[in-house]
Amino acid sequence: MFVPPLNSRLEVKWMVDDVNLWWSCVVQSITGKVDYQDRDVYSVLYSGRPDLDMPNQERREVVFTTNNLLVDQEDGDVMQWRMEGETTDPPELLCVGARVTLRGISGPEGRGTIAAIDELGCYKIDLEDGTSRSSVQQSSIDEHAENKADMVDDVVSLFGQCIRSDPRFRLLKSHNHKRITAQVDDLQTQLLLR
């Protein structure tokens, strides 16, 4: 497993206000602590984000668990990371609570809900038949269409809120409000059809 050297600049994917974004940080030091599997705990310093009303830098402790995952030691979140400047995204992690089907298994034995994500990016699935499966790889999972529809609804809703909160929108005449609302609705329909 690749662990970034000290002073490396990374980007870590954070969920902020229900939106995933890459956040820049620097690997500052090895803390001298280890996690429960004897892996080194690192100190990283996140850049301030004035655009998100978070202007101050923040120091966090993390453990690198795979070539693109780390565990934040403060809250236990499994998060994706990449070297700063990389443009390829690792595959999106599925969300806890997402409805899924295990590939090749039909009925209640194969349908369930993601209960947890482990530090290696595998999933614990609570199945409809009352059992659960651990260490399920993402390649063995099909996400239900309703999860994608919910995500599209959330993104379009956020987009609409941004438009409506812009002072320039308020200056428009009401017929333009209706036209913009119709265009946002069309965008939502097009995204759901993909």
Side-chain angles (χ1 to χ4, degrees), residues 44-56:
V44 297
L45 183 65
Y46 284 96
S47 303
R49 292 287 303 254
D51 58 320
L52 299 173
D53 293 327
M54 299 176 189
N56 300 324

Side-chain angles (χ1 to χ4, degrees), residues 11-12 14 16 20-24 46-58:
E11 294 175 321
V12 178
W14 280 79
V16 178
N20 283 319
L21 56 87
W22 289 103
W23 203 313
S24 179
Y46 284 96
S47 303
R49 292 287 303 254
D51 58 320
L52 299 173
D53 293 327
M54 299 176 189
N56 300 324
Q57 295 178 325
E58 184 174 349

Side-chain angles (χ1 to χ4, degrees), residues 17-185:
D17 296 329
D18 293 327
V19 176
N20 283 319
L21 56 87
W22 289 103
W23 203 313
S24 179
C25 67
V26 175
V27 180
Q28 288 202 308
S29 64
I30 301 174
T31 65
K33 301 175 195 175
V34 293
D35 74 350
Y36 72 99
Q37 287 195 355
D38 258 358
R39 294 177 292 208
D40 288 324
V41 176
Y42 288 77
S43 175
V44 297
L45 183 65
Y46 284 96
S47 303
R49 292 287 303 254
D51 58 320
L52 299 173
D53 293 327
M54 299 176 189
N56 300 324
Q57 295 178 325
E58 184 174 349
R59 190 175 319 281
R60 302 288 283 229
E61 292 184 350
V62 303
V63 171
F64 295 96
T65 59
T66 72
N67 289 342
N68 70 341
L69 294 176
L70 58 80
V71 177
D72 183 286
Q73 296 299 283
E74 185 175 320
D75 54 25
D77 285 343
V78 176
M79 306 167 88
Q80 295 178 304
W81 70 272
R82 65 184 182 189
M83 299 300 290
E84 189 173 73
E86 282 185 20
T87 55
T88 55
D89 281 341
E92 273 303 315
L93 293 175
L94 300 174
C95 296
V96 170
R99 301 273 308 135
V100 296
T101 301
L102 298 176
R103 289 194 178 148
I105 303 174
S106 60
E109 305 84 28
R111 290 190 309 264
T113 303
I114 294 177
I117 304 170
D118 72 22
E119 59 199 28
L120 300 176
C122 293
Y123 299 89
K124 178 182 178 210
I125 313 285
D126 289 339
L127 298 168
E128 288 179 1
D129 69 358
T131 64
S132 65
R133 293 217 183 163
S134 297
S135 303
V136 179
Q137 295 185 354
Q138 190 163 341
S139 60
S140 300
I141 297 172
D142 286 324
E143 189 174 11
H144 286 201
E146 72 234 22
N147 297 326
K148 294 174 185 168
D150 288 345
M151 186 171 59
V152 167
D153 286 344
D154 291 346
V155 168
V156 172
S157 175
L158 181 63
F159 179 66
Q161 288 171 12
C162 289
I163 290 172
R164 287 187 293 280
S165 67
D166 189 305
R168 295 171 291 186
F169 181 77
R170 293 186 202 116
L171 297 174
L172 296 172
K173 295 185 176 168
S174 65
H175 71 277
N176 287 325
H177 289 192
K178 291 176 185 172
R179 195 173 99 215
I180 291 170
T181 300
Q183 288 176 339
V184 169
D185 289 345

